[in-house]
């Protein structure tokens, strides 16, 4: 395994040393993983530290022990009687110039609470640790970068049925999403937008923003990352969607023909994904981008003028 840099971002010297050390990670061990995966990144997935599709595991390992067994330089701290990740090599939890960067955990695309690192690893878990600036969003409830998790892997060890909800019901993007899920090995029922929410069903909502915003979970996106954990903010009229940087400042505005793939959770409910945009063409563009190659290691994904754009935008100048 070797480290990589994405989108032309220059890796600092300290991170370069870490990448060299981690090139040795994942070799040998007691037992090959039976489906578990481990990803370690910085800055919202833009810098890869480790990407292990078959990490070394031991029976009964916790999520934190999985990291320690495969990546050198792991240090922990006990907070509220729970083990927490504090550093991987030189990359530490710290506050500098008033901005806090810390390690955040996602399991199958779902943000974990304080007990997450100490929970026992499931054979099919996709474990993603990311170190990033938390100033704009102290909590990120869900991300799209572990696709096809959580649909194929489940949440907290439990697989659930998937419902694709479309508005309007006959929007062409609906079938594109259905096809993408079938290609990913996931069966999904399809129907219109429902307001009833169950903890026993995962949902993908497909449609122009003005058509789907009345869903209680969808409306969280209009509050920006501090409310939804998504670094994009649709306007209530659905005419545009602002993309944001790591600090929550706008970098660009998506207009007609542009799309967004994002996920969040309402309180402690199941994650809900959104395939949306200002218009039908934008929704179609987002649906077309729904695959593992496009989504990998991204918190959310936009499509602007036919190009995939990782969200939040890191290292992009903020527009006045």
């Amino acid at each position: 395994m070797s480290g990589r840099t994405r989108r032309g971002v220059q890796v600092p010297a300290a991170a370069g040393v870490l990448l060299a050390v981690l090139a040795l990670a994942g070799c040998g061990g007691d037992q090959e993983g039976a489906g578990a995966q481990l990803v370690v990144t910085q800055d919202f997935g833009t810098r890869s530290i480790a990407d292990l599709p078959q990490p070394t595991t031991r029976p009964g390992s916790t999520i934190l022990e999985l990291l320690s067994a495969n990546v050198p330089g792991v240090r922990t701290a006990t907070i509220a009687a729970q083990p927490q990740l504090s550093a991987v090599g030189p990359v530490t939890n710290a506050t500098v110039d008033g901005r806090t960067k810390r390690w955040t955990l996602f399991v199958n695309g779902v943000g974990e609470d304080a007990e997450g690192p100490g929970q026992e690893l499931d054979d099919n878990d996709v474990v993603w640790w990311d170190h990033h600036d938390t100033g704009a969003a102290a909590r990120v409830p869900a991300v799209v970068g572990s696709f096809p998790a959580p649909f194929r892997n489940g949440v907290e060890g439990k697989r659930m049925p998937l419902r694709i909800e479309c508005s309007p019901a006959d929007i062409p993007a609906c079938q594109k999403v259905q096809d993408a899920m079938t290609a990913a090995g996931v069966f999904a029922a399809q129907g219109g937008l429902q307001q009833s929410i169950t903890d026993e069903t995962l949902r993908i909502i497909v449609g122009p923003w003005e058509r789907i915003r009345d869903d209680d979970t969808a409306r969280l996106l209009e509050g920006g990352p501090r409310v939804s954990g998504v670094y994009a903010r649709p306007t209530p009229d659905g005419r545009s969607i602002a993309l944001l940087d790591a600090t929550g400042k706008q970098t660009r505005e998506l207009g007609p023909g542009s799309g967004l793939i994002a996920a969040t959770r309402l309180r402690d409910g199941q994650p809900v994904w959104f395939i949306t945009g200002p218009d039908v063409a934008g929704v179609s563009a987002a649906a077309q981008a729904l695959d593992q190659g496009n989504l990998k290691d991204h918190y959310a994904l936009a499509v602007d003028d036919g190009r995939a754009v990782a969200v939040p935008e890191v290292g992009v100048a903020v527009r006045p």
Side-chain angles (χ1 to χ4, degrees):
M1 179 204 70
S2 60
R4 67 182 186 276
T5 302
R6 287 183 160 178
R7 293 182 293 188
V9 178
Q10 183 66 39
V11 177
V17 172
L18 178 61
L19 290 171
V21 172
L22 293 176
L24 302 175
C27 300
D30 295 348
Q31 179 182 335
E32 289 265 298
Q37 301 174 49
L38 175 63
V39 176
V40 186
T41 62
Q42 291 179 257
D43 295 335
F44 301 93
T46 61
R47 302 177 186 180
S48 178
I49 294 173
D51 192 342
L52 306 177
Q54 287 189 309
T56 298
T57 62
R58 297 178 178 87
S61 293
T62 67
I63 290 169
L64 192 53
E65 288 168 345
L66 172 73
L67 180 66
S68 298
N70 288 274
V71 178
V74 172
R75 299 195 297 278
T76 63
T78 300
I79 301 174
Q82 297 293 335
Q84 299 293 314
L85 178 62
S86 59
V88 177
V91 185
T92 65
N93 294 339
T95 299
V96 178
D97 296 331
R99 303 211 65 86
T100 298
K101 290 189 174 184
R102 63 176 177 83
W103 286 101
T104 299
L105 170 64
F106 303 98
V107 179
N108 297 328
V110 180
E112 292 294 303
D113 59 22
E115 295 183 2
Q119 293 180 359
E120 187 171 327
L121 177 72
D122 186 84
D123 280 345
N124 294 316
D125 282 340
V126 180
V127 177
W128 178 11
W129 293 93
D130 181 60
H131 183 269
H132 68 266
D133 187 324
T134 61
R139 176 176 178 263
V140 177
V143 292
V144 303
S146 295
F147 182 84
F151 310 110
R152 196 167 67 189
N153 307 60
V155 178
E156 297 178 351
K158 181 179 180 181
R159 290 191 63 177
M160 285 168 283
L162 169 63
R163 177 177 168 84
I164 300 172
E165 301 182 3
C166 305
S167 182
D170 60 350
I171 187 172
C174 202
Q175 187 59 48
K176 291 183 180 180
V177 173
Q178 181 89 60
D179 293 343
M181 300 313 298
T182 301
V186 179
F187 173 80
Q190 184 176 314
L193 187 63
Q194 293 188 343
Q195 289 300 316
S196 58
I197 299 175
T198 172
D199 287 337
E200 302 300 319
T201 303
L202 297 175
R203 305 162 70 214
I204 300 177
I205 299 179
V206 182
W209 184 253
E210 67 171 342
R211 295 291 299 258
I212 68 172
R213 68 174 297 269
D214 285 341
D215 179 86
D216 289 340
T217 307
R219 200 175 298 130
L220 295 176
L221 270 64
E222 293 179 2
R226 195 170 300 278
V227 174
S228 66
V230 177
Y231 288 75
R233 184 188 297 111
T235 56
D237 61 13
R239 293 181 180 177
S240 65
I241 301 175
L243 300 189
L244 313 175
D245 69 3
T247 68
K249 295 180 180 178
Q250 182 172 326
T251 56
R252 72 177 81 188
E253 185 173 84
L254 301 183
S258 299
L260 176 69
I261 305 175
T264 190
R265 303 172 73 184
L266 179 63
R267 296 184 289 276
D268 294 324
Q270 299 299 344
V272 180
W273 283 43
F274 304 96
I275 313 295
T276 190
D279 55 13
V280 170
V283 179
S284 181
Q288 194 68 41
L290 185 65
D291 71 28
Q292 189 171 13
N294 288 326
L295 297 175
K296 182 171 171 53
D297 300 351
H298 296 323
Y299 278 45
L301 187 78
V303 180
D304 186 18
D305 195 22
R307 296 185 305 108
V309 179
V311 179
E313 292 200 272
V314 177
V316 176
V318 176
R319 294 184 179 180

